[in-house]
Amino acid sequence: PRLLQIPHPAHLHAYVRFLGQYKDYDAVLDLVTWISNYYEQIMDEAREFHNGERAMRRCLVAVRVYVEQPLGDWAVDSDSTHPKKEKDLEDYQRDFQRVDSVKAVFESNGEEGPWAWPTDEEFEMYVAVGEENIKS
């Protein structure tokens, strides 16, 4: 089915950031699945705007940043995969399963092109730019 109204990628990006800030990771997964289902329509619309495709990529990079954010809470011993932080093992496993679920949606759309899982470089640049914006 066609969408009646197609959101601009910048609005989707803002929504990802909102969901990420409130740690609503299930909603992020739902949003990524929805974007995946309507990706061609969303991209057709995005191409009509200046930097629309770039804004969509930024949105997808934000998805990775926010779903992996809790993983930073886990320091791992170099000798093992056991967390140093005292958090339930269930929480630890859930954090990794969430990333795998989101990554599976990306990979179901192809491992290259706009749906490629964001690279470490894209991830780090997104975080660095965000930190710079906070400082200024």
Side-chain angles (χ1 to χ4, degrees), residues 8-136:
H8 187 280
H11 297 143
L12 293 171
H13 180 219
Y15 190 46
V16 167
R17 290 177 54 107
F18 171 81
L19 295 173
Q21 290 291 324
Y22 285 96
K23 301 179 185 336
D24 192 346
Y25 304 116
D26 291 334
V28 172
L29 176 58
D30 290 343
L31 179 62
V32 169
T33 302
W34 181 85
I35 291 171
S36 173
N37 291 337
Y38 294 100
Y39 189 73
E40 288 305 318
Q41 290 178 57
I42 293 168
M43 286 309 295
D44 287 345
E45 184 77 10
R47 289 181 188 100
E48 299 292 321
F49 296 100
H50 177 68
N51 287 331
E53 290 180 78
R54 191 169 156 213
M56 192 66 219
R57 185 63 186 166
R58 191 175 314 117
C59 172
L60 297 175
V61 172
V63 167
R64 178 180 173 195
V65 169
Y66 283 103
V67 297
E68 286 190 1
Q69 182 180 24
L71 298 181
D73 292 344
W74 298 106
V76 178
D77 291 325
S78 57
D79 302 339
S80 71
T81 58
H82 298 292
K84 289 182 185 175
K85 189 172 181 182
E86 298 208 9
K87 198 172 180 187
D88 279 339
L89 183 57
E90 286 180 21
D91 289 346
Y92 178 69
Q93 291 170 334
R94 188 180 62 242
D95 288 348
F96 282 94
Q97 287 171 347
R98 177 185 48 255
V99 173
D100 288 343
S101 296
V102 171
K103 193 172 184 179
V105 174
F106 275 73
E107 290 172 350
S108 72
N109 288 289
E111 294 187 27
E112 295 181 9
W115 266 103
W117 185 246
T119 65
D120 292 343
E121 182 179 90
E122 288 175 307
F123 180 100
E124 291 165 9
M125 184 176 292
Y126 184 94
V127 171
V129 168
E131 288 174 355
E132 283 300 313
N133 289 339
I134 291 170
K135 290 177 186 174
S136 57

